[in-house]
Amino acid sequence: CTPTVRVATPTEPITINLNVKIDQEVRVKLDKEVEDLITNNPDLF
Amino acid sequence: HRFDTASGEASLRGDGLRFEPDGLQFEDLSERLRGLAVNATGQVIPTVSASWTSSDVKAAGQIELQSVSFSTFRLGQVINLSGALNFNDFINFKTPPGQVFTVERLQITPAFGLENGRISLELLGTQGFQLESARWPFVGGELRIEPTRWIFDEPVQNLSVSAEEWELSRLINLFDIKDLDVQGRVSGEFPIEISGANVFLRNAQLSSVEDGLIRYQGALGEQASTADQYAKMAFDALRNFEYEVLAVGADGNLTDEIVVDLALSGHNPNLLEGQVFNLNISLQSKLAELIQSAVMSASGQATSDALVELVKQKQAAEKN
Amino acid sequence: AHAGDPMIDAAKDQGLIGEQADGYLGAVTSLDAALKRKMDEINTRRRELYTQVASEQGQSLSTIAQISGKKLVEGESSGRYVYDDTGSWVKIP
């Protein structure tokens, strides 16, 4: 018989779930920036 | 004016008005426009002709807008809008269909803007307008808003957006993710819900129109290898991933947090003899922060911590 | 709260409108057209200012608006209404 070459066909797909969460801690500086915004615009706040 | 029939007409050819921060504003044209737009600048050239009889007054005319900019509550800042409003009923603020405008830039949130828009609409009075078409060139393709009725006082406005041949490489560039090279294009349609100050993306689904390639050599790969072998395998595959199937999903609030899901099926020719992978990558972030942070920089010192949460597919992995 | 726009302050005292946790003014009851337009104008100006701070600080618009909303709700005087995170209008005792 003729030698048959068995090509390694890729088996069942491998399923991988990957969750990437990109976080940046809210810097305290923000609080002050917003505080200034409110006090500098009394007609709006 | 003809006294015998108590009728007449007059026309006003303004030499042009100028919106200025401390000067003329929308509400000065009509109190009914207060709250629609603030901090308007730019040139307004009205030509109004009125005719009246003893019983009614009819006024038609045109308002030409030249590089008019203003801020709105729902869509953010409109920058350099130009075009003309041809009124067939000026008093009731109504125009026929086909009023065309160009908008140099629509800055919806600090992190997301659209340039060179072309809009066609019909004004329905001060309560709203019929949007006939709105299109922007976007990441190598086009972004269109399907025809809809826009009512100013309506608390919730639903739109359908269609994506036409968006180039993934340029879409990814919006997110400023370094070391990620993606080839391929996606198209699709998705609903957007604007309510209050939020612009919600409701499960947008875009799919690839052709095979493509992804190459990622970034920092996340190194961090992953310590955490979990499956993640390492995923990142190894992504070093040179030829995909046949790709779907991009997005869900969340453009002004706040967005989750972008990438579903890929393909292989890396030099990994496990081209073993096929189904990769489901979910990228969760506050869009503005993603753009500001170089979280995936090649040098690896992510300025913010990139938390790789691994969900393992034990069954799939053990089956082979 | 310090004096804001007179029309808005009066409407707050009458319980017609109030501060919300999301950083904007909201209608407690149905409003007459003039007050509604005035409230819309104030909210649009607030959004513009939040946008400026958000882009300077590289934060999302909602992050800035919510920080402001928290301060405005907490700073509101008794007798007025606030729409807090529980999702309902509450009269401050």
Side-chain angles (χ1 to χ4, degrees), chain B residues 296-319:
Chain B
M296 300 201 181
S297 61
S299 58
Q301 336 94 357
T303 49
S304 63
D305 53 324
L307 191 69
V308 178
E309 289 158 22
L310 300 176
V311 174
K312 289 178 280 297
Q313 285 291 338
K314 283 260 182 304
Q315 327 88 324
E318 265 135 26
K319 235 188 349 212

Side-chain angles (χ1 to χ4, degrees), chain B residues 49-96:
Chain B
S49 51
S51 59
W52 55 85
T53 62
S54 52
S55 52
D56 72 44
V57 177
K58 278 207 282 308
Q62 184 198 64
I63 291 188
E64 197 193 339
L65 302 171
Q66 288 177 355
S67 300
V68 172
S69 301
F70 49 89
S71 287
T72 68
F73 185 68
R74 294 202 279 196
L75 286 177
Q77 204 181 3
V78 174
I79 298 163
N80 289 344
L81 173 138
S82 297
L85 279 168
N86 299 290
F87 290 89
N88 47 17
D89 177 359
F90 191 73
I91 291 174
N92 296 311
F93 214 57
K94 288 198 173 114
T95 70

